[in-house]
Amino acid sequence: MRPSHKDHESPDDLPLSKTRRKALMHELQELGEALVALSTEALARVDLPESLRAAVQEAQGMRAFEARRRQLQYIGKLMRDADPEPIRAALAVARGVSASETARLHRLERLREGLLESEEILGEIAAAFPGADLQHLRQLRRNALKEAERGSPPKSYRAIFQMLKRCSE
């Protein structure tokens, strides 16, 4: 039996099927959509070719559905010339940073709620944040409880969170 030329070709040598090419283009367009969804600060941290960065920033400002759809297709086209792996890695970092930041803020919210329930949590706050002004936190707690009783705006309630946030940075 004679070996055919197919036995000597690797899968990488074969041309991509039309279906596979389309799937790759859709993946790149979805990656572009993820870039458009980033905040301005997060986008600034991603290393992109200048033309792609400009197209993404333009898409971020678009509100008209059809114009935005066409811009996303254009971004997908520009993505073909860019290496997608560093972009994927940067997106993963951006998502991870936001997840850890969200967890930190939730922890601070739990501390604030615990403080309003009982002043005993001040020991935990002192241990976690040695530089925290505990006397000021006590005063803010008293004011927040009074504001809640009166139904007035939660100025001190918010101030507690801001103070905890500054201490945790």
Side-chain angles (χ1 to χ4, degrees):
M1 187 165 146
R2 267 183 49 202
S4 69
H5 74 284
K6 288 183 181 181
D7 294 337
H8 299 290
E9 290 181 0
S10 72
D12 295 335
D13 294 338
L14 297 174
L16 290 174
S17 68
K18 183 176 178 182
T19 304
R20 183 65 186 136
R21 278 196 321 264
K22 282 181 77 171
L24 289 172
M25 295 307 115
H26 284 291
E27 287 175 22
L28 291 175
Q29 188 170 339
E30 288 171 6
L31 193 58
E33 288 176 29
L35 287 172
V36 171
L38 288 177
S39 68
T40 307
E41 297 82 29
L43 182 63
R45 285 181 249 142
V46 179
D47 185 29
L48 296 173
E50 200 51 45
S51 60
L52 180 57
R53 181 178 305 283
V56 168
Q57 288 171 337
E58 190 173 333
Q60 287 177 330
M62 291 182 169
R63 299 291 168 239
F65 175 80
E66 187 60 23
R68 186 176 171 92
R69 185 189 66 79
R70 284 192 310 269
Q71 186 68 13
L72 288 171
Q73 285 180 331
Y74 176 64
I75 290 170
K77 181 180 177 184
L78 291 175
M79 293 286 295
R80 295 177 203 167
D81 298 330
D83 183 10
E85 290 313 310
I87 296 171
R88 282 190 183 104
L91 283 170
V93 167
R95 289 178 183 134
V97 167
S98 65
S100 65
E101 178 66 10
T102 300
R104 181 180 79 90
L105 295 177
H106 284 296
R107 190 175 123 251
L108 294 176
E109 286 176 20
R110 285 191 300 275
L111 279 175
R112 174 178 60 186
E113 294 303 319
L115 178 61
L116 291 174
E117 289 174 13
S118 170
E119 214 172 278
E120 293 172 8
I121 198 129
L122 283 171
E124 186 179 327
I125 292 173
F129 313 118
D133 184 354
L134 300 182
Q135 185 175 358
H136 187 62
L137 273 174
R138 277 191 191 94
Q139 181 62 46
L140 287 173
R141 177 184 182 272
R142 283 192 295 273
N143 292 346
L145 293 173
K146 287 178 188 174
E147 290 168 355
E149 272 180 30
R150 290 188 298 236
S152 58
K155 181 180 173 188
S156 296
Y157 180 79
R158 291 184 188 123
I160 291 170
F161 184 79
Q162 293 304 319
M163 185 174 181
L164 290 172
K165 191 174 167 185
R166 279 192 305 275
C167 289
S168 73
E169 291 174 342

